[in-house]
Amino acid sequence: AQSVTQPDIHITVSEGASLELRCNYSYGATPYLFWYVQSPGQGLQLLLKYFSGDTLVQGIKGFEAEFKRSQSSFNLRKPSVHWSDAAEYFCAVGARGRSSGDKLTFGTGTRLAVRP
Amino acid sequence: EPEVTQTPSHQVTQMGQEVILRCVPISNHLYFYWYRQILGQKVEFLVSFYNNEISEKSEIFDDQFSVERPDGSNFTLKIRSTKLEDSAMYFCASTQLAGNGEQFFGPGTRLTVL
């Protein structure tokens, strides 16, 4: 069964500082990988996704993530955080190869706070 | 840009009552999902639906839950007899292709069971 671990429950960074949110997954093959962001009281917005190809993927709002197969990781990064980035971030994994569409398995999330 | 919509945004109900949560997936999508998020916890998969039948369901999705696509646009989640522990945010999602993997989420319905 697939699983996702986000080891950091809560992270605080200063505005303008760089950010890295960690995500490790467990899956028997190369998975689909996603990062979603959720602002308070809002739904889930897709930041970026990895399906295949280049292991460094670019997303919206200046975010990027790197798939590292050897480490089973898909860490999210941003070079300079803005106050509006304060939100909860979820890493998710989807299985490949199924014919009927697949569930996503989410991590427990990392809540990001931004200091002015 | 097409989006998934959900109604109502907030539903309050008494324990034991039936509720129906409604979703309108993106029009050319074929695969539909319900997830839930209990306050402060992670998003959990409930059920997937394709070709008018359930593809997969989690252990959360017991006999009290059912899903339906009553017409060409709506996708509903029914909880027959709500419990306090059903209080959560319920998200609908849809995707176009098998194996594509990218699911588009609606804004959610917050269900409060009193």
Side-chain angles (χ1 to χ4, degrees):
Chain A
Q2 60 219 50
S3 66
V4 177
T5 302
Q6 292 181 249
D8 304 307
I9 297 171
H10 194 171
I11 285 183
T12 300
V13 299
S14 297
E15 191 168 16
S18 63
L19 171 70
E20 183 169 30
L21 303 183
R22 295 183 290 166
C23 172
N24 293 96
Y25 69 89
S26 173
Y27 183 64
T30 302
Y32 296 133
L33 293 161
F34 307 84
W35 276 99
Y36 284 87
V37 62
Q38 183 182 35
S39 297
Q42 302 298 310
L44 297 162
Q45 182 181 23
L46 181 68
L47 283 176
L48 48 77
K49 59 186 184 288
Y50 172 78
F51 287 169
S52 64
D54 194 346
T55 56
L56 184 64
V57 294
Q58 303 296 323
I60 63 171
K61 304 184 181 187
F63 286 92
E64 66 179 26
E66 186 171 12
F67 170 58
K68 293 185 177 179
R69 186 193 308 272
S70 61
Q71 298 176 20
S72 297
S73 69
F74 189 57
N75 294 347
L76 182 72
R77 301 193 293 249
K78 186 169 184 178
S80 177
V81 168
H82 187 263
W83 64 266
S84 61
D85 293 325
E88 184 132 27
Y89 291 80
F90 291 95
C91 182
V93 61
R96 288 180 184 266
R98 298 273 296 275
S99 61
S100 59
D102 269 303
K103 66 181 181 185
L104 294 179
T105 299
F106 286 83
T108 50
T110 297
R111 182 167 296 280
L112 174 66
V114 180
R115 278 193 296 260
Chain B
E1 185 175 331
E3 58 183 17
V4 177
T5 60
Q6 291 185 242
T7 55
S9 57
H10 193 182
Q11 173 95 44
V12 180
T13 190
Q14 295 290 326
M15 189 170 56
Q17 294 297 303
E18 175 184 286
V19 294
I20 298 176
L21 310 183
R22 290 183 168 80
C23 168
V24 179
I26 294 172
S27 62
N28 62 345
H29 285 187
L30 301 175
Y31 303 88
F32 314 111
Y33 308 82
W34 284 101
Y35 293 82
R36 80 171 185 189
Q37 184 183 30
I38 295 172
L39 187 65
Q41 299 185 23
K42 67 177 178 180
V43 177
E44 301 173 288
F45 167 77
L46 290 178
V47 65
S48 58
F49 190 86
Y50 168 71
N51 200 25
N52 283 317
E53 60 183 27
I54 291 174
S55 305
E56 186 176 0
K57 59 183 181 180
S58 72
E59 58 190 27
I60 303 168
F61 194 88
D62 62 22
D63 292 344
Q64 293 301 311
F65 291 87
S66 62
V67 289
E68 191 178 29
R69 189 154 161 83
D71 52 41
S73 59
N74 289 282
F75 179 51
T76 62
L77 174 70
K78 182 194 289 187
I79 309 175
R80 290 190 183 84
S81 179
T82 50
K83 307 182 187 68
L84 295 176
E85 54 265 36
D86 293 328
S87 295
M89 182 76 92
Y90 288 80
F91 294 105
C92 173
S94 68
T95 188
Q96 187 176 32
L97 297 172
N100 175 279
E102 180 176 357
Q103 295 176 22
F104 293 81
F105 282 78
T109 293
R110 179 165 297 285
L111 176 65
T112 301
V113 182
L114 303 176

